[in-house]
Amino acid sequence: MSTPPDELNHWADIAAKRSVGANKDAEVFTCAAGITPSGVVHAGNFREVITVDLVARALADQGVKVRFIYSWDDFDVFRKVPKGMPKPEMLEENLRRSIAAVPDPYGEHDSYATHNIQTFESSLEPLGIEPEFIRQSGRYQAGDYAEGIKKALEHTETIRAILNQHRKTPLADEWLPLSGFCSACGRDEIDLKWEAGYDVDVHCRSCGHDETVDLRKGGQLKLPWRVDWPMRWAEEGVIFEPGGKDHSSAGGSYDTGKEIAKQVYEWEAPQYVAYDFVGIKGAGGKISSSAGGVVTVANCLEVYQPGLLRWIFASYRPNTEFTISFDLDVIKIYEDYDRAIRLAHQEDDGGK
């Protein structure tokens, strides 16, 4: 049964109602989240996942069919070795390759990306969060986005104009909305040429390899982030997706994504909420994978019960910064949580 509008008092309910109102003809309401697994996926990254999970549940409460997808952007470039990683020299040697192509320094999985992915996915199970996981390396390498890439190439001038509105230095005339890796050495130091159709000429500045890639057959080419995001909105039919405040500023990737989605892919950008950073009490600043020594969801679950951890994140509006405590505050947080549970299940006797 749909929730009456006057009972919508949580931000997730409001976001769900707004999403339904903007997509009245939708048969399936697809909610999306995602991250690049370039380092340990930490408790701060969890904020995006649970933001979408809460809205997806609120949508289901309103009686619509919901699909929750989580994209692993493991086809992004490995740019920096996080502090504290084993085998840093090996990781250093693999910079400029896709994260999915970097060996696992722990020796447990087929790649560095897979190690970070599986560690995070297993920590979500106790929290009852079960999205449909999508690895973008697989999608691109299989040629699944051939049409989306071709459409971007056909609208190069439009995309360049949109991006240039928010750049101090305009993109070069020969710029293409395309990036990727050399199929021979795996580096991203490549030059690209495209005239029409599905064929792209690739020259590697690192090893000198030349090839022609048929986008329909997949391979090592991909769209850059600001084009990739709106392409996938249209590809997956996304109607809700949040973003960090670094994507939410004026002229940021959400602003340019809205225009690219509309003008290139004929898709309205999904309903959106910006979320702020999460910190650790006493540590100062946001949690950063590259800085090393991060706190993971699994670490949080060693201290907080799954329901309590969900409650902590759900208690704050997404655009509010907060910190997670691991000191004596934990006792008070448990007391506050127990009180909230009692009040939630207390029968209303009609008193004031």
Side-chain angles (χ1 to χ4, degrees), residues 112-186:
Y112 177 64
T114 299
H115 180 89
N116 293 328
I117 287 169
Q118 293 197 1
T119 300
F120 185 67
E121 286 185 5
S122 63
S123 71
L124 294 182
E125 293 175 6
L127 292 156
I129 300 176
E130 301 176 335
E132 174 189 339
F133 291 105
I134 299 172
R135 292 189 63 162
Q136 293 303 324
S137 60
R139 287 285 177 89
Y140 271 111
Q141 291 170 335
D144 292 348
Y145 297 139
E147 297 301 329
I149 297 174
K150 179 171 175 283
K151 185 169 286 189
L153 291 169
E154 292 169 344
H155 290 81
T156 295
E157 297 301 324
T158 299
I159 295 172
R160 183 192 290 116
I162 292 170
L163 298 180
N164 279 343
Q165 292 176 16
H166 307 285
R167 291 177 58 89
K168 294 181 179 178
T169 303
L171 294 166
D173 291 341
E174 64 272 16
W175 177 85
L176 291 173
L178 195 60
S179 62
F181 308 92
C182 172
S183 65
C185 72

Side-chain angles (χ1 to χ4, degrees), residues 117-330:
I117 287 169
Q118 293 197 1
T119 300
F120 185 67
E121 286 185 5
S122 63
S123 71
L124 294 182
E125 293 175 6
L127 292 156
I129 300 176
E130 301 176 335
E132 174 189 339
F133 291 105
I134 299 172
R135 292 189 63 162
Q136 293 303 324
S137 60
R139 287 285 177 89
Y140 271 111
Q141 291 170 335
D144 292 348
Y145 297 139
E147 297 301 329
I149 297 174
K150 179 171 175 283
K151 185 169 286 189
L153 291 169
E154 292 169 344
H155 290 81
T156 295
E157 297 301 324
T158 299
I159 295 172
R160 183 192 290 116
I162 292 170
L163 298 180
N164 279 343
Q165 292 176 16
H166 307 285
R167 291 177 58 89
K168 294 181 179 178
T169 303
L171 294 166
D173 291 341
E174 64 272 16
W175 177 85
L176 291 173
L178 195 60
S179 62
F181 308 92
C182 172
S183 65
C185 72
R187 308 285 181 183
D188 71 334
E189 298 163 324
I190 57 176
D191 297 319
L192 303 163
K193 291 184 179 180
W194 174 84
E195 294 181 0
Y198 295 93
D199 288 347
V200 179
D201 293 327
V202 182
H203 169 71
C204 180
R205 300 189 302 274
S206 181
C207 72
H209 179 70
D210 291 298
E211 64 180 322
T212 298
V213 175
D214 183 340
L215 297 172
R216 294 168 295 186
K217 297 180 180 179
Q220 300 299 312
L221 300 184
K222 68 183 294 290
L223 295 171
W225 163 248
R226 284 188 181 241
V227 186
D228 172 75
W229 201 17
M231 181 276 291
R232 285 193 269 138
W233 289 341
E235 177 76 18
E236 301 289 358
V238 178
I239 61 91
F240 175 81
E241 182 166 6
K245 65 179 183 180
D246 50 339
H247 296 307
S248 311
S249 58
S253 50
Y254 181 71
D255 274 1
T256 56
K258 285 191 296 185
E259 293 302 314
I260 293 171
K262 185 174 183 178
Q263 296 185 41
V264 176
Y265 295 105
E266 300 178 343
W267 184 260
E268 290 295 327
Q271 295 297 303
Y272 184 84
V273 297
Y275 58 86
D276 212 324
F277 299 126
V278 175
I280 301 301
K281 184 182 176 183
K286 69 173 184 175
I287 307 171
S288 172
S289 293
S290 62
V294 299
V295 173
T296 66
V297 174
N299 295 146
C300 293
L301 289 172
E302 292 175 2
V303 176
Y304 294 106
Q305 295 173 353
L308 175 50
L309 187 60
R310 288 184 61 93
W311 177 77
I312 291 173
F313 279 82
S315 298
Y316 293 92
R317 288 183 174 274
N319 61 352
T320 303
E321 185 175 349
F322 71 94
T323 60
I324 301 174
S325 299
F326 290 92
D327 55 13
L328 290 176
D329 284 353
V330 171

